């Protein structure tokens, strides 16, 4: 069994929320899914990009129930849903002058019994959390992540680097999607956290770990993480979706 919770908030500094998220448990199927998007391309367009991406992704995913492996398997279903979302955002960006150049990050998970299938594009993240620690499962598509990979800066320096918000891939910015896929086996008690950079830039990995494992009821974890972010000024929109294997 799996439980899932989520939240999104505009934060303190931003005038509107350009993040979007959705999540669902499909009863009696052993399936659950979640998606987080962080829009870009100006105040109006960023909001539109993330909303179109989430709504199209959800519609596509609900029409493609995973079954077995290969073209009908969970990873393929996740990829096709993201491709459908990419097409929708890209079409709006090239046909609506007000939305030209818009795009969005996406991190999505499809949990099938005790296996998580993950997809990401941009710098929204997925973390695996249990009593043994916290592990980031996705790699940011960003300028500073590339700098860390080359050894030019440390992960600690990346957190405050002036170019940390520059992403190198976005959903909807090109006609074809360039996303990464991951697979993670989960055990009872494990958590899977999807979040936008408005959370991961402010709350440290160790704080994410503490709140999930020791902070209180799992159902309140997302709100506790939001409270921490707000208490530190919440300069960006804040979004999280949290799964727990039970």
């Amino acid at each position: 069994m799996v439980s899932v919770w989520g939240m999104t908030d505009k934060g303190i500094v931003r005038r509107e929320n350009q993040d979007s998220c959705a999540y669902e448990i499909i009863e009696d199927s052993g399936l659950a899914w979640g998606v987080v998007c962080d829009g870009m391309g100006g105040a109006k367009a960023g909001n539109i990009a993330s909303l179109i991406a989430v709504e199209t992704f959800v519609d596509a995913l609900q029409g493609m129930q995973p079954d077995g492996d290969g073209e009908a398997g969970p990873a393929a279903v996740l990829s096709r849903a993201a491709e459908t979302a990419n097409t929708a955002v890209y079409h709006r960006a090239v046909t609506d002058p007000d939305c030209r150049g818009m795009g969005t990050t996406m991190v999505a998970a499809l949990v099938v019994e005790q296996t998580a299938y993950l997809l990401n594009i941009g710098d929204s993240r997925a973390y695996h959390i249990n009593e043994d620690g916290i592990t980031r499962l996705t790699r940011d598509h960003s300028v500073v992540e590339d700098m860390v990979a080359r050894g030019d800066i440390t992960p600690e320096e990346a957190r405050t680097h002036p170019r940390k918000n520059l992403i190198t891939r976005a959903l909807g910015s090109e006609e074809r999607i360039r996303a990464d896929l991951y697979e993670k086996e989960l055990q009872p008690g494990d958590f899977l956290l999807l979040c936008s950079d408005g959370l991961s830039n402010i709350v440290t990995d160790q704080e994410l770990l503490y709140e999930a494992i020791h902070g209180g009821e799992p159902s309140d974890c997302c709100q506790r993480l939001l409270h921490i972010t707000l208490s530190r000024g919440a300069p960006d929109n804040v979004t999280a979706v949290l799964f727990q294997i039970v």
Side-chain angles (χ1 to χ4, degrees):
M1 292 179 59
V2 61
S3 297
V4 61
W5 309 274
M7 66 83 188
T8 186
D9 191 274
K10 71 181 181 65
I12 292 176
V13 175
R14 297 293 176 92
R15 301 179 99 181
E16 66 174 29
N17 192 353
Q18 296 186 15
D19 288 1
S20 296
C21 71
Y23 51 92
E24 184 182 11
I25 298 171
I26 302 174
E27 297 295 339
D28 303 321
S29 68
L31 296 175
W33 56 263
V35 58
V36 168
C37 289
D38 179 356
M40 63 175 203
K44 179 181 176 185
N47 177 57
I48 292 171
S50 66
L51 189 61
I52 290 174
V54 166
E55 290 181 345
T56 310
F57 176 86
V58 170
D59 287 345
L61 195 64
Q62 290 176 336
M64 298 185 292
Q65 294 299 329
D67 181 23
D69 299 316
E71 293 185 1
V77 165
L78 201 59
S79 291
R80 288 200 301 275
E83 287 167 1
T84 303
N86 185 78
T87 298
V89 176
Y90 180 78
H91 176 75
R92 180 67 176 269
V94 298
T95 58
D96 185 343
D98 290 337
C99 296
R100 190 159 293 138
M102 76 175 182
T104 180
T105 70
M106 175 180 280
V107 60
L110 179 57
V111 180
V112 183
E113 295 180 349
Q114 290 186 197
T115 304
Y117 299 87
L118 303 157
L119 177 145
N120 88 297
I121 181 167
D123 61 357
S124 294
R125 295 178 173 179
Y127 291 90
H128 174 244
I129 303 171
N130 61 19
E131 291 188 351
D132 293 330
I134 180 169
T135 303
R136 175 151 57 107
L137 299 175
T138 53
R139 182 185 186 278
D140 293 351
H141 303 128
S142 68
V143 170
V144 294
E145 188 87 339
D146 292 343
M147 294 171 72
V148 170
R150 292 194 303 266
D152 295 340
I153 61 174
T154 66
E156 290 72 25
E157 290 170 330
R159 289 185 65 85
T160 56
H161 196 278
R163 302 178 72 192
K164 66 184 175 69
N165 292 326
L166 296 179
I167 61 175
T168 55
R169 297 189 206 174
L171 186 144
S173 63
E174 298 178 7
E175 193 169 4
R176 298 293 298 177
I177 194 173
R178 292 189 298 142
D180 291 339
L181 289 166
Y182 304 87
E183 185 175 331
K184 178 66 178 178
E185 292 298 321
L186 305 172
Q187 301 297 323
D190 285 6
F191 292 92
L192 181 68
L193 174 67
L194 313 180
C195 66
S196 63
D197 66 342
L199 179 65
S200 59
N201 282 341
I202 303 300
V203 182
T204 68
D205 288 6
Q206 289 304 306
E207 288 171 326
L208 296 175
L209 170 65
Y210 178 85
E211 291 301 331
I213 301 297
H214 305 293
E217 290 298 322
S219 58
D220 299 328
C221 182
C222 290
Q223 290 302 318
R224 293 195 301 271
L225 294 174
L226 173 61
H227 178 75
I228 293 170
T229 311
L230 293 174
S231 73
R232 295 173 183 172
D236 200 354
N237 308 144
V238 189
T239 303
V241 172
L242 181 70
F243 300 84
Q244 183 188 29
I245 303 299
V246 293

